[in-house]
Structures are given as C-alpha cells and as structure tokens.
Amino acid sequence: MHLLDTIIFLAYMAGVSLFGASFYRKNRSSGAFTLGNRNIPGWVISMSIFATFVSSISYLALPGIAYQGNWNAFVFSLTIPFAALIAIRFFVPLYREVNSPSAYSYLEIRFGPWARIYASLCYLLTQLMRVGTILYLLALTLHAVFGWNMALIIVLTGLIIMVYSMLGGLQAVVWTDAIQGILLICGAVITVVFILTGMPEGPGQVLQIAGEQGKFSLGSLSLDLSSSTFWVVLVYGLFINLQNFGIDQNYIQRYMASRSDRAAKRSALSGGLLYIPVSLLFLFIGTALFSYYQAGAAILPEALKAADSGDQIFPHFIVTRLPAGVGGLLIASIFAAGMSTISTSFNSSATVFLADYYRKFSRRAQGEKESMKVLYLSSVVISVLGILIALAMINVKSALDAWWKLASNFSGGMLGLCLLGAFSRISRSRGAIIGVILGIGVIAWMSLTSLADDPSRYGNIFHSYLTIVFGTLSIFMGGFLAAYLFSGPKET
C-alpha cells in the first residue's frame, strides 16, 4: 500500500474517534448514555440500524461468497421486508410501551426474572464473541494490507472504539454509525466503478462471463434440507431477521432512542430495507471480481486460486489494482463496517448490564452518578474481554470458531422465548421454562452434531442454518403445549 493510503486510513481513525468523543458534554446522564435523551434525528437512527446490519464480516464475506459461488446469500436479504413489517406492527409498539432501555425487561413482565436473566446473559455472551471475532478479522485485514502486528492492531482498535463509545454514549455510536454507513456504501460503489472500467472488453463483459457461469443464481429450488437451497436460506433469513428486529438489544435500543413511535417504525423499516441494495452491491462486487480475473484483466497469484480463497480476493484487489488514496479509502470503509458493529456492542452491552443486573440486584444508591460509573466500568470490562477473545483467536482460532458458532446458535433461544411472550397468552413461567429447556436441547444437539464429519450418523440430516429455526419452534411450540398439558387451560 502507498503512503497516501496509510495517511488516509489513520486520518479516518483519528477523525471518527475525535468526533465520537466530542459528544462527551451531552453524555452526562444514564439516559443520554443509553438512549441519547431520545433526541436523535430519524435518519441517523436509520443509518445506525443499517450499519448494525453490516459488519466487516459482511463486507468481506459477501464478495467472497459471490466470487466462489452464486447469489444464494441474497435470499437472506429478501426476508428483511417481512421481518421489518412484523417489527413495526408488533415489536416496536411493544417495546415503546414497556419503556425500558433493556429489551429483556419485557420477558420479566411475561415470565418472571429468570427469563430476563436468561436472555440478557445469552445476549452478553454472543456480543463478546461477536466483538472478538470482528476485532480479529479487522486485524487480519490490516496485517495483510499494511503488515502491522496483529496483536497491536487488536488492542489499539479495541481501546480506540471503547474510548469514543464510552465518552460519547449512544449519541456517539449512532452518529459515527451514520458516517461509517455512508463511507462503506461509497467504498463499495467506487470498487464497482473501478472493476467495470477495468474490463478488457467493457463493462458488459462482467455480465456475459458471470451469466455463462451461472453466478447470478439464487440457489437450488429443491426441497433438500441438508444443503443451502433457496428455501433453506429463506427460512433461515426470516428467523435471523426476526431475532434481529424482535429481541436484539442493538435494535431495540434504537427503537427506544427515537423521538416518537412513528419515527421508530420509520427508522426500523428504512434501516433494514437499505441493507437489501447494499448487500446486492457487495455480491455484485464478488461476481464482478470473478469476471475481472476470468477475463484476464489481472493475474491472481497461485495461492489465491484455491477453492477456499474467496474472502481474500477483494482485499487483494484493493492492494494491487486500486490507485494510491483509493485503496486507503476502501480499507477505511471495511474498517468502518467493523467499528460501527463493535461500538454498538459496547454501548448496548453496558446498557444491558446496568438495566438487567445492577439496577435489579444492587442494594447501593442508584443515582445518576452511580449509574454512570457502572456504565463506564462495564464498558471497560466488556471491551477488555472482547480484546482478549480477539487475541486468543490469533492462535486458537479453530476452537473459538466452534464456540462462536455455538454461541450464536444459542442466541436463537431468545427469539423463541420472545415470540412465546408476544404471541401466546401463557401467563405463568412453567410452560416457558419447559419450552426453553426443550429448545436448548434441540439447539445443542444440532450444533454439536454439525461439528462432526458426518452429522447424519447422529440423526442430524439438516443444514446448520436450520438450527435457529428448529430451536425457536421448539421453544415456542414446546412452551405452549407444556403450559396447556401441565397447568390446564387456564395457563394459556
């Protein structure tokens, strides 16, 4: 990379950090830290929801998936409108009525304190793994581009994001999200322009080569549940996006930070819908890169011609084919995607700790001064733990990959409990507890057997995408039936 690229990247990091920290004077209360005093413009909330959808994983993985295969992953995006409409019809009014900064206080109202603790603990664990994974991937990218030490990148990046998100609270998070969201879209558009103008026979050659190779396919329409077919991804996407819009603290906190119910609904819808064309843009980048190298516009090194090198093609293109300055902007946009996700996790996790643990169980005085201390301290603890997880991934990535998969699947149990509370009339917790136990059992079985070389030996003939689907349905249906069978009709 050129010196100019390094300067642009470092200037971006410094600018975002200073801008986020500038909200410190407006962040003197717990209400400002967790909800931004409910005075944040709607378009900023929308961009923040969009940026929460996108991470550096998406920025690198979607082009890699399209380069190696087809547009099967786009089916996931097609489910967003359905999930968003359900959210604005049911979830946004529900959480706005409960009026708590925590998404999980509603579960306590429905089923008791255990449900709130269960869901919030699942959330905190998955956020820690998410932060660690993204920090690791950001470090991996910068190490490949600039050659910097990975451990140093992880520590400095984690600390920088921690400082500005802690000093500026939710206002810093959502405003920097908005900037980062705009930057990552610009970066993707610039990439497409350079690829199309670099084709030997003109932009149309991209479509010609990709079409001949079936790169625009959305996947098989067969009913095979053991592979990533159109239908499997469609069902998986619907459940994942219901989880995002319905029970994820990152999203619910933005509903609550909106100025009105109408603004919250509009932000949820527009923020989610914006991801659809942007994800299509990421997939097109991967397909265009396939055509670019197939047409001989540039030659790939032998090491990148392997079947599992898809994720490395985009960074390689940035380093080798973009002019000085543009490459730095693209690296900054990839970093922006990761930073927005990490800062969101830091703020929302601290909010959950304050609302679901400290205020519930502490017997000490709980004034604003004490609440701010808890928010600052929990932000530091979460940041440090996320950094340590990322550092561990440098040497034991394979083991942590398995845990990350397991942790993300277990979060699916949260959706089942939320749906049970929102769409059933169960009034006691016994049925919900039985449903959760049943769902956890199903999720554990599917997750653990999927790690085996031949999952079918253990009776698991389903694709791993369906873990959240069966886990959620087990909790919802199991909880409803258990409440009816063991407590009589008055329970339902």
Side-chain angles (χ1 to χ4, degrees), residues 139 148-158 391 394:
W148 298 342
N149 180 270
M150 285 190 61
L152 182 62
I153 296 170
I154 288 171
V155 172
L156 289 180
T157 303
L391 291 173
I394 296 176

Side-chain angles (χ1 to χ4, degrees), residues 39 44 54 75 121 157 210 221 273 279 333 359 364 388 429 439 462 480 482:
N39 192 34
V44 176
V54 182
V75 179
L121 183 60
T157 303
L221 294 177
L273 293 181
S279 65
S333 66
R359 285 181 173 169
R364 300 179 61 181
L388 291 176
S429 65
F462 304 105
F480 185 84

Side-chain angles (χ1 to χ4, degrees), residues 463-475:
H463 193 280
S464 59
Y465 285 170
L466 296 177
T467 301
I468 184 176
V469 177
F470 290 122
T472 298
L473 292 177
S474 297
I475 291 176

Side-chain angles (χ1 to χ4, degrees), residues 20 43 57 72 82 99 126-127 137 140 146 160 207 209 225 232 253 260 278 291 316 334 356 371 396 412 433 437 473:
W43 73 269
I57 299 174
N72 180 234
F82 300 99
N99 196 30
T126 53
Q127 291 306 298
L137 290 175
L140 194 64
F146 296 114
I160 288 171
L207 302 179
I209 295 175
L225 298 182
V232 167
Q253 202 167 333
S260 65
V278 174
S291 298
H316 174 77
I334 292 175
D356 294 330
S371 295
V396 291
I433 292 174
I437 294 173
L473 292 177

Side-chain angles (χ1 to χ4, degrees), residues 207-281:
L207 302 179
Q208 177 188 346
I209 295 175
E212 292 173 353
Q213 298 294 322
K215 305 296 285 185
F216 298 115
S217 170
L218 295 180
S220 169
L221 294 177
S222 74
L223 298 179
D224 179 17
L225 298 182
S226 63
S227 60
S228 179
T229 65
F230 176 93
W231 305 112
V232 167
V233 177
L234 186 72
V235 174
Y236 165 78
L238 180 60
F239 276 72
I240 284 289
N241 285 313
L242 280 176
Q243 176 179 302
N244 289 336
F245 283 106
I247 197 65
D248 193 318
Q249 174 69 21
N250 298 336
Y251 296 80
I252 278 72
Q253 202 167 333
R254 281 149 182 75
Y255 304 162
M256 299 304 300
S258 298
R259 292 171 174 172
S260 65
D261 290 2
R262 183 180 179 183
K265 292 179 180 179
R266 187 166 54 244
S267 296
L269 183 61
S270 59
L273 293 181
L274 181 58
Y275 180 78
I276 299 175
V278 174
S279 65
L280 187 65
L281 189 61

